[in-house]
Amino acid sequence: MKDSYLTRVLVTGGAGFLGSHLCDRLLERGCDVLCVDNFYTGSKRNLAHVLDHPRLELMRHDVTFPLYVEVDQIFNLACPASPIHYQNDPVQTTKTSVHGAINMLGLAKRVKAKIFQASTSEVYGDPEVHPQPEDYWGHVNPIGFRSCYDEGKRCAETLFFDYYRQHKLRIKVGRIFNTYGPRMHPNDGRVVSNFIVQALRGEPITLYGDGSQTRSFCYVADLVEAFLRMMETPDDFTGPCNLGNGDEFTIAQLAELVVEMTNSRAKIIRKPLPSDDPKQRKPDTRLAESKLGWRATTPLREGLKHTIAYFDQLLRETPAVRPEVNSA
Ligand code: NAD
Ligand code: UDP
Ligand code: UDP
């Protein structure tokens, strides 16, 4: 990043899983980082190692309310990301995506900042095209349990492109596919954290459905590198751009790998498949490769090694941690 030591960067959702890793990288680059978070799913623990850093400022704020600050760049990550968290208060989830986008776009417009939106593969819904290219419009249920997240993120993309066309804002829209790594929430019900915590505790591994559904898992360090590269692309590159790992695994394969890597004696058991659970998901990553010169390179086995080590430590510190399991 050119002149990064002069760059004032706002990270919304900066105390969350992805946001805290992004704050780390921006501080390493010499940026002034303003981290804004309402601590709904994030925590100061994720930033404990940098709370005293002279170039980090942490502000408790909800992005559904206006924010008046002076910055050069904005990474808009604020939004609960796991189904359990975003379905807990679905109205607030939609507000966070939509009102949050309007406020951050209004801010970007006033201070002429470049703005990145953390969009999601969920904009493709339960896709009928595989792998998913950026020009696929998706297959989304507008009234289901996942809709607050999927449709909120879709509307946020609409707002980003309308501010781009109407107000000539410099926008970057990244569609993030399933990402994992240290600082994931131990009890947000996501598959990687659930399986690791269950395996480490020697408790049953909860496989939803028959485990034949697929996902492509990106290691967090790879993803954050993609965020930074995308922010540096020329102004005429807006995205949307898929950001994820192209290696596809069934959920049953993931369960077996986690059991093997943790030397666990945990048994794999079946649980009902949640509603609207996408059957297949894998990014078409050609645009990211050509525009960002980037592809995710961390193999699943290596990323899992770091993630298992993180949860192993966390369980030693807080042994009562229990994963959330779908009971529907
Ligand atoms: P996370 O829940 O760990 O982080 C989200 C952060 O946003 C949390 O710190 C939370 O407290 C904060 N937040 C929520 N609502 C807010 C509000 N109204 N105002 C201010 N802060 C608020 O989730 P994450 O995995 O780090 O996801 C970060 C972003 O990336 C989200 O926008 C998510 O939709 C997107 N994303 C993540 C993934 C993934 O696999 N992790 C995949 C696709 C998209
Ligand atoms: N906004 C903000 N910070 C700013 C500027 C604007 O939070 O520095 C919010 C403000 O609440 C406004 C929204 O962004 O409602 C959209 O701003 P815009 O200028 O696009 O539209 P307005 O509603 O002001 O006409
Ligand atoms: N899953 C599972 N067991 C769990 C948690 C999740 O089998 O304990 C499955 C879930 O049904 C889905 C996949 O793993 O098919 C990924 O789920 P996650 O919630 O991590 O992400 P998303 O569905 O948003 O991709």
Side-chain angles (χ1 to χ4, degrees):
M1 192 186 289
K2 274 186 236 104
D3 297 336
S4 51
Y5 65 95
L6 294 175
T7 310
R8 298 162 302 174
V9 187
L10 167 62
V11 180
T12 75
F17 163 48
L18 300 180
S20 62
H21 285 279
L22 175 62
C23 288
D24 285 348
R25 283 293 307 275
L26 291 166
L27 290 170
E28 277 164 31
R29 288 183 160 210
C31 301
D32 259 321
V33 178
L34 172 58
C35 168
V36 161
D37 206 297
N38 69 350
F39 302 113
Y40 178 54
T41 53
S43 87
K44 283 186 194 161
R45 186 181 191 279
N46 289 335
L47 293 167
H49 56 291
V50 286
L51 281 178
D52 290 337
H53 197 293
R55 278 184 281 101
L56 178 82
E57 193 180 341
L58 177 57
M59 181 192 284
R60 181 187 292 266
H61 175 80
D62 186 319
V63 294
T64 62
F65 296 99
L67 177 67
Y68 286 83
V69 292
E70 310 307 312
V71 290
D72 306 300
Q73 293 182 357
I74 303 169
F75 286 91
N76 187 36
L77 272 60
C79 186
S82 82
I84 283 179
H85 287 152
Y86 70 65
Q87 289 171 23
N88 182 48
D89 186 348
V91 173
Q92 171 69 9
T93 299
T94 304
K95 279 188 190 170
T96 294
S97 280
V98 177
H99 293 184
I102 291 173
N103 287 330
M104 292 309 105
L105 287 160
L107 168 62
K109 186 179 117 191
R110 182 179 62 79
V111 299
K112 300 188 174 40
K114 219 191 292 190
I115 180 165
F116 172 93
Q117 167 67 358
S119 190
T120 170
S121 54
E122 300 282 344
V123 300
Y124 301 122
D126 188 1
E128 293 156 313
V129 171
H130 194 74
Q132 294 83 54
E134 287 84 354
D135 58 7
Y136 174 51
W137 289 356
H139 178 225
V140 177
N141 175 357
I143 57 166
F145 290 108
R146 297 175 84 107
S147 311
C148 57
Y149 184 74
D150 303 8
E151 297 289 16
K153 289 285 187 178
R154 285 168 69 96
C155 184
E157 286 201 7
T158 306
L159 285 160
F160 268 70
F161 279 87
D162 283 333
Y163 269 80
Y164 166 69
R165 286 183 287 257
Q166 196 174 331
H167 298 300
K168 311 286 175 264
L169 247 63
R170 291 175 297 158
I171 63 157
K172 309 284 174 191
V173 175
R175 289 182 178 157
I176 304 164
F177 283 64
N178 296 63
T179 301
Y180 69 101
R183 302 185 204 152
M184 288 185 90
H185 308 257
N187 53 3
D188 72 359
R190 308 203 74 172
V191 70
V192 174
S193 46
N194 268 16
F195 286 0
I196 293 177
V197 173
Q198 289 163 341
L200 289 173
R201 296 179 63 92
E203 289 173 356
I205 310 276
T206 52
L207 187 65
Y208 299 164
D210 63 5
S212 63
Q213 69 273 32
T214 69
R215 295 291 187 273
S216 309
F217 298 101
C218 184
Y219 188 59
V220 61
D222 288 343
L223 186 78
V224 169
E225 175 65 25
F227 287 2
L228 297 171
R229 288 189 187 210
M230 193 159 175
M231 198 55 126
E232 288 168 36
T233 52
D235 290 348
D236 63 358
F237 183 62
T238 56
C241 183
N242 289 340
L243 304 176
N245 190 317
D247 295 340
E248 186 181 4
F249 293 85
T250 66
I251 299 303
Q253 283 175 319
L254 177 74
E256 281 159 20
L257 187 56
V258 169
V259 170
E260 179 215 305
M261 290 184 67
T262 50
N263 291 317
S264 177
R265 278 188 281 176
K267 296 269 174 295
I268 298 174
I269 59 163
R270 297 277 182 87
K271 288 273 182 185
L273 194 66
S275 64
D276 296 338
D277 197 274
K279 285 178 279 303
Q280 253 190 328
R281 187 186 289 149
K282 166 183 155 122
D284 180 331
T285 54
R286 284 174 297 180
L287 187 66
E289 282 167 34
S290 72
K291 294 291 186 181
L292 314 183
W294 173 88
R295 59 195 291 270
T297 50
T298 308
L300 183 58
R301 200 174 261 280
E302 189 191 324
L304 284 178
K305 197 173 79 185
H306 302 305
T307 314
I308 291 168
Y310 170 79
F311 280 113
D312 193 35
Q313 180 65 34
L314 187 79
L315 286 175
R316 284 172 210 276
E317 289 167 16
T318 42
V321 160
R322 285 275 190 298
E324 287 286 337
V325 172
N326 178 47
S327 51

